[in-house]
């Protein structure tokens, strides 16, 4: 068993105090996406990396077919039947949704007592929903064969069809399937993937702007619906299937979205090559272009994200920076030369705070493994 992190110990202790007895512990990482934004639901390519910040679930089965949960971060309890068919718009929906999804596949489950906690910022665009789903899935499946690919699909179905957020497959695959030291190049049509080794002397830094926007709020859904409309106007299954020449014929607003998707798909494959070949000039250029396209073409960036990316990119130790995740607030990501990480984190954090009056949170992270039972 791997060594316990402070958050895993804290969550296990909270479980003992609340429910008594010795729990088991499942963890699932957050993720940052290095390239491929708003491409997954267009059957395109993405390149996420799981990070060493986790959602932790301490759990033990109960015989009465109920979910009895407590969230350490929200200081909130939840209690419902395992087979309750509808969400209640709270954090326990993600666990109940996974139970629902597993049962859809004919898997019979026991009830579960659980405590949830995290050292991963929640709702910041770092895949926290997927991390909670996959940690819950790992807990439910603790004594059964674990099929990470299938679990990613089941978790995505929980989020789409139970919680009601129409996300793509990126987060769940990254959180389920990642391995330490690697990114995951995913072909979101067919869900094939390749593990991309990351250069050891490049550090991934997450730059949290301390601004938030929930996926439930609707702008993500709007973008997704527009992409589907563009694909249907072009007579293709998904935007992945259209050429740029064809996209040029779309009405202006849809054209900009479609061109972003097409170019971002190419950038994602190029980024995988740049990382595998340690080609820093290409990484830098691809990240800059991706951010510009998300800002001006797909229009999901914000002034806070733009400012964070400008400051980070201008730092002498930065290799490149861009917003990451759905956008509308949340986090950017930077690649930084290992020998300059400490000065990068301190100086970019200070400059962002002086500039915006907001305390951004910057942290370096390591490419980690996917969801697992640790105790
Ligand atoms: C969110 C969704 C993902 C993906 C990104 C944008 O993180 O959960 O499926 O669409 O936004 O790239």
């Amino acid at each position: 068993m791997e060594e316990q992190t402070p958050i895993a110990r804290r969550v296990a202790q909270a479980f003992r105090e609340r429910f008594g007895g010795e729990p088991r512990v499942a963890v699932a990482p957050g993720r940052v996406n290095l390239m491929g934004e708003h491409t997954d639901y267009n059957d395109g390519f993405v390149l996420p990396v799981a990070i060493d910040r986790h959602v932790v679930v301490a759990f033990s089965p109960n015989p009465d077919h109920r979910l009895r949960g407590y969230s350490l971060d929200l200081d909130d309890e939840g209690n419902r039947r395992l087979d309750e068919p509808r969400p209640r718009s709270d954090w326990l929906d993600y666990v109940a949704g996974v139970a629902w999804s597993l049962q859809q596949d004919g898997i019979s489950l026991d009830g579960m007592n659980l405590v949830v906690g995290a050292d991963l910022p929640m709702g910041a665009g770092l895949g926290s929903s997927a991390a909670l789903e996959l940690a819950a899935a790992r807990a439910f499946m603790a004594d059964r064969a674990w099929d990470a690919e299938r679990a990613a699909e089941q978790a995505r179905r929980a989020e789409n069809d139970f919680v009601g957020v129409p996300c793509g497959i990126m987060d769940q695959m990254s959180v389920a399937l990642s391995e330490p030291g690697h990114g995951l190049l995913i072909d979101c049509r067919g869900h094939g993937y390749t593990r991309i080794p990351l250069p050891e002397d490049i550090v991934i830094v997450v730059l949290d702007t301390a601004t938030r926007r929930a996926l439930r709020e609707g702008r993500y859904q709007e973008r997704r619906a527009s992409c589907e409309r563009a694909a249907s106007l072009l007579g293709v299954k998904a935007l992945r299937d259209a050429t740029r020449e064809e996209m040029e014929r779309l009405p202006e607003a849809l054209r900009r979205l479609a061109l972003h998707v097409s170019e971002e798909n190419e950038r994602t494959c190029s980024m995988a090559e740049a990382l595998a070949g340690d080609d820093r000039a290409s990484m830098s250029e691809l990240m800059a272009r991706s951010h510009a396209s998300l800002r001006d073409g797909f229009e999901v960036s914000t002034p806070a994200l733009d400012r964070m990316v400008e400051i980070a990119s201008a730092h002498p130790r930065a290799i490149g920076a861009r917003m990451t995740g759905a956008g509308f607030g949340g986090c950017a990501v930077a690649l930084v030369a290992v020998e300059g990480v400490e000065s990068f984190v301190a100086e970019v954090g200070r400059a962002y705070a002086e500039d915006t009056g907001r305390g951004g949170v910057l942290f370096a992270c390591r490419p980690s493994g996917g969801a697992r039972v640790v105790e």
Side-chain angles (χ1 to χ4, degrees):
M1 286 285 153
E2 62 188 90
E3 204 186 314
Q4 286 300 356
T5 56
I7 182 66
R9 283 198 294 272
R10 220 153 63 75
V11 174
Q13 184 54 30
F15 183 98
R16 288 181 205 106
E17 285 161 15
R18 182 157 287 263
F19 294 111
E22 206 39 46
R24 299 180 71 188
V25 177
V27 302
R31 65 99 192 92
V32 285
N33 188 19
L34 295 182
M35 194 61 69
E37 226 60 83
H38 292 275
T39 47
D40 62 352
Y41 55 80
N42 290 301
D43 277 4
F45 294 88
V46 292
L47 181 42
V49 178
I51 61 176
D52 55 344
R53 297 284 189 117
H54 296 92
V55 169
V56 178
V57 173
F59 63 97
S60 70
N62 69 49
D64 43 351
H65 285 276
R66 297 197 75 85
L67 286 176
R68 279 197 203 87
Y70 175 67
S71 161
L72 210 50
D73 301 311
L74 300 172
D75 186 21
D76 187 47
E77 284 180 4
N79 186 339
R80 66 183 72 168
R81 275 198 351 255
L82 190 59
D83 56 359
E84 191 173 293
R86 265 176 290 280
R88 298 189 188 184
S89 299
D90 65 5
W91 64 274
L92 195 57
D93 282 351
Y94 293 90
V95 179
V98 167
W100 167 84
S101 185
L102 295 171
Q103 292 175 108
Q104 293 285 303
D105 285 349
I107 299 169
S108 70
L109 300 177
D110 285 332
M112 192 157 76
N113 298 340
L114 69 149
V115 173
V116 174
D119 62 1
L120 171 72
M122 305 300 277
L126 297 175
S128 53
S129 309
L132 177 52
E133 289 153 15
L134 266 310
R138 203 65 194 83
F140 282 121
M141 300 296 285
D143 292 319
R144 304 182 213 216
W146 176 245
D147 178 341
E149 290 179 32
R150 187 161 176 224
E153 308 283 351
Q154 289 162 329
R156 204 259 289 243
R157 181 170 58 195
E159 184 147 350
N160 288 173
D161 300 342
F162 189 88
V163 179
V165 175
C167 63
I169 192 67
M170 166 168 73
D171 300 355
Q172 287 79 11
M173 282 189 73
S174 174
V175 169
L177 289 157
S178 288
E179 296 227 323
H182 291 72
L184 206 63
L185 175 65
I186 305 171
D187 180 344
C188 299
R189 168 166 287 169
H191 302 175
Y193 58 91
T194 315
R195 294 201 169 92
I196 307 292
L198 301 173
E200 282 175 14
D201 52 355
I202 294 181
V203 178
I204 295 171
V205 179
V206 169
L207 313 120
D208 186 347
T209 59
T211 58
R212 297 284 181 268
R213 189 76 75 204
L215 281 196
R216 291 192 198 212
E217 271 179 41
R219 288 198 271 173
Y220 179 87
Q221 285 89 325
E222 269 168 39
R223 291 294 185 289
R224 186 173 176 151
S226 298
C227 288
E228 281 161 9
R229 196 168 124 64
S232 104
L233 284 175
L234 293 168
V236 292
K237 181 162 178 283
L239 281 180
R240 186 221 183 102
D241 302 311
T243 64
R244 294 219 192 124
E245 294 68 45
E246 288 165 339
M247 290 175 178
E248 291 293 345
R249 296 200 293 271
L250 286 165
E252 167 63 13
L254 295 182
R255 182 162 60 92
R256 278 190 283 121
L257 298 184
L259 286 173
H260 163 79
V261 171
S262 169
E263 290 160 11
E264 186 83 349
N265 278 334
E266 272 178 25
R267 279 191 287 269
T268 306
C269 298
S270 303
M271 187 70 173
E273 277 171 30
L275 287 164
D278 201 357
D279 174 355
R280 299 183 183 197
S282 296
M283 293 175 209
S284 172
E285 194 184 322
L286 290 164
M287 291 179 92
R289 286 217 207 121
S290 172
H291 186 81
S293 175
L294 288 159
R295 183 190 58 212
D296 306 330
F298 212 76
E299 295 186 90
V300 290
S301 190
T302 60
L305 280 166
D306 293 344
R307 200 62 201 115
M308 185 67 101
V309 167
E310 267 164 39
I311 295 168
S313 308
H315 192 278
R317 296 300 185 185
I319 296 164
R322 63 188 279 280
M323 57 153 276
T324 188
F328 313 113
C331 295
V333 59
L335 297 179
V336 182
V338 67
E339 63 278 9
V341 171
E342 279 166 27
S343 69
F344 175 90
V345 167
E347 288 160 21
V348 173
R350 197 160 51 233
Y352 176 78
E354 275 167 17
D355 209 274
T356 62
R358 246 185 239 114
V361 179
L362 279 70
F363 58 91
C365 43
R366 258 183 240 177
S368 304
R372 56 207 183 269
V373 175
V374 294
E375 200 174 276

